[in-house]
Amino acid sequence: MRAPLGDFDDARPAPDCLDLLTAPVAAAVRAWRGTVPAEQLLYVDTDPAVADTAVFVEHHGPGLLDASANCVIVAGRRGETTTLAACVVRSATRVDVNGAVRRELGARKVRFAPIETATGDTGMEYGGITPIGLPGAWPVLVDAAVVDTEWVLIGSGRRRGKLIVPGKALAELPGAVVLEGLGLAAA
């Protein structure tokens, strides 16, 4: 089937592609519940060499920039307690780490999690981290602009492949908190 966005001719329902996803993402798709049926989570095969946003958009067209979202892992610290969380913002924006994230996590200091932590704790590849299949105890902070996007291109857990999902599905993920202004205009 043709994807609802981009130039992807071979979009397949993610439940039919579990073997192409990392274990945590496949488990989350298998256990999917919510108002959006799992069959509307679509998988498209992509070249891992163009997985990073800027290169991906250059390769597949600038129209995808507004329909793509990045998922970054942050570590918020207050005293001796560290809280890991995911932040999902449109690819054309950056995460408001020192404002919205710090307030939501109640942290004194927030930083991007080290790559080893982000990949090790999620079971996903760097450059392919997705909000689908994250550890259940983690907050998943989602910018309202992402939720309001009809179809969103996100990682699949691997550098190869992407998921295309209705934006509203991200608001129903375990631990999801929708925040206005989580994504700031890129400087």
Side-chain angles (χ1 to χ4, degrees):
M1 100 176 63
R2 182 146 177 79
L5 56 86
D7 60 357
F8 309 104
D9 290 326
D10 188 24
R12 296 179 281 161
D16 296 344
C17 305
L18 297 177
D19 59 322
L20 301 174
L21 305 171
T22 59
V25 178
V29 169
R30 199 175 295 112
W32 187 262
R33 302 287 180 270
T35 60
V36 173
E39 292 71 29
Q40 286 187 20
L41 309 178
L42 303 176
Y43 175 85
V44 292
D45 188 37
T46 59
D47 182 350
V50 298
D52 295 326
T53 302
V55 179
F56 191 85
V57 167
E58 183 179 309
H59 185 79
H60 288 284
L64 286 179
L65 189 60
D66 288 332
S68 298
N70 290 331
C71 179
V72 297
I73 308 303
V74 298
R77 190 163 178 86
R78 184 169 198 86
E80 297 301 313
T81 304
T82 298
T83 302
L84 293 173
C87 300
V88 183
V89 298
R90 291 173 76 170
S91 295
T93 65
R94 61 184 176 81
V95 177
D96 182 10
V97 174
N98 293 316
V101 176
R102 191 172 56 76
R103 281 190 302 276
E104 184 62 33
L105 297 181
R108 290 185 52 82
K109 183 175 183 172
V110 178
R111 61 182 172 79
F112 294 102
I115 291 172
E116 303 79 32
T117 301
T119 57
D121 287 16
T122 63
M124 300 179 201
E125 295 176 2
Y126 182 73
I129 294 176
T130 183
I132 297 173
L134 292 171
W138 287 16
V140 179
L141 311 181
V142 184
D143 190 279
V146 174
V147 173
D148 292 340
T149 303
E150 184 177 10
W151 291 96
V152 181
L153 181 83
I154 57 175
S156 69
R158 298 185 191 270
R159 288 185 64 82
R160 167 166 233 115
K162 300 283 185 187
L163 295 175
I164 299 174
V165 303
K168 65 184 179 183
L170 301 177
E172 298 179 358
L173 291 172
V177 178
V178 178
L179 297 174
E180 292 286 341
L182 178 62
L184 300 174

